[in-house]
Amino acid sequence: MATNKRERIIIEDEDVLGRPHTPYEKRILKMREYRAKNKEKIKNYRLEYYKNNRDTLREYSRKYMKERFDNDPILRQKQNEICKQNYRLKDTQPTIEEIEKKAQIKENKKQLRRLLKQQALNEQAIKEREQLENDIKELQSFIQNI
């Protein structure tokens, strides 16, 4: 089965390649940059459009969906079931036990982080103490040799 999707060509920087880009690579990079900028422009345009025309779009949607559901009662039943399920999901509040369990997990994580930090500090202090002891021994042997 043939698909229209092509694999994305990976184009390295000129520094990595050690040569200038070919015209084909330049064209691909230019198109990618254009698409990225265009995508941002379209996103901003849509945000602005929907913000300014929200009431009109809602009214149109209400009329369209009402006509659609009036013409297809099976579709209306399916939509009603979906709405009921979503309403039930929205109504469920976490129980006190769940809240306490999450708080306990959070506290355990904090204690673990504290312990790991303390352990790292202890290991660093041990290394520094060993280094100081070695330095003292070297100085003592140096003083005795004098």
Side-chain angles (χ1 to χ4, degrees):
M1 183 168 135
T3 61
N4 290 335
K5 291 189 175 184
R6 291 180 280 165
E7 291 186 22
R8 184 179 173 94
I9 299 172
I10 298 171
I11 301 174
E12 307 268 340
D13 287 339
E14 289 179 343
D15 298 336
V16 176
L17 290 173
R19 61 171 174 77
H21 286 132
T22 63
Y24 176 69
E25 291 171 338
K26 287 180 183 176
R27 190 172 65 211
I28 290 174
L29 291 172
K30 189 176 180 182
M31 287 305 296
R32 284 184 187 165
E33 186 178 324
Y34 169 77
R35 283 191 206 106
K37 287 180 182 176
N38 199 27
K39 192 175 189 180
E40 188 65 27
K41 286 180 189 175
I42 290 173
K43 178 185 165 193
N44 291 336
Y45 170 77
R46 285 182 180 158
L47 287 173
E48 190 67 26
Y49 179 80
Y50 289 125
K51 185 170 73 174
N52 294 337
N53 299 309
R54 183 176 60 200
D55 297 334
T56 309
L57 292 169
R58 282 185 180 172
E59 188 61 33
Y60 174 77
S61 178
R62 282 188 194 115
K63 288 180 183 176
Y64 170 76
M65 292 306 285
K66 184 173 183 345
E67 289 175 11
R68 187 169 176 221
F69 287 149
D70 287 346
N71 294 335
D72 192 354
I74 295 170
L75 188 62
R76 180 178 286 280
Q77 288 176 350
K78 287 180 185 177
Q79 182 64 25
N80 287 346
E81 285 300 317
I82 291 170
C83 290
K84 285 178 186 177
Q85 288 174 358
N86 290 339
Y87 184 73
R88 284 186 210 124
L89 290 175
K90 192 165 63 171
D91 270 352
T92 57
Q93 296 289 333
T95 62
I96 296 172
E97 296 164 354
E98 291 173 349
I99 293 171
E100 290 175 354
K101 187 176 180 181
K102 286 181 181 179
Q104 183 64 34
I105 290 170
K106 191 174 183 181
E107 187 62 33
N108 289 343
K109 286 181 180 179
K110 283 182 182 178
Q111 289 177 354
L112 181 62
R113 278 192 223 107
R114 257 188 250 122
L115 289 173
L116 289 173
K117 188 175 182 180
Q118 186 64 37
Q119 183 180 4
L121 290 173
N122 289 342
E123 289 174 358
Q124 184 180 3
I126 291 170
K127 287 179 184 177
E128 288 176 358
R129 192 180 81 211
E130 290 174 354
Q131 183 64 32
L132 286 173
E133 288 174 356
N134 289 336
D135 291 345
I136 290 170
K137 286 178 184 177
E138 287 177 12
L139 288 173
Q140 286 175 349
S141 63
F142 178 74
I143 290 172
Q144 288 176 356
N145 289 338
I146 293 181

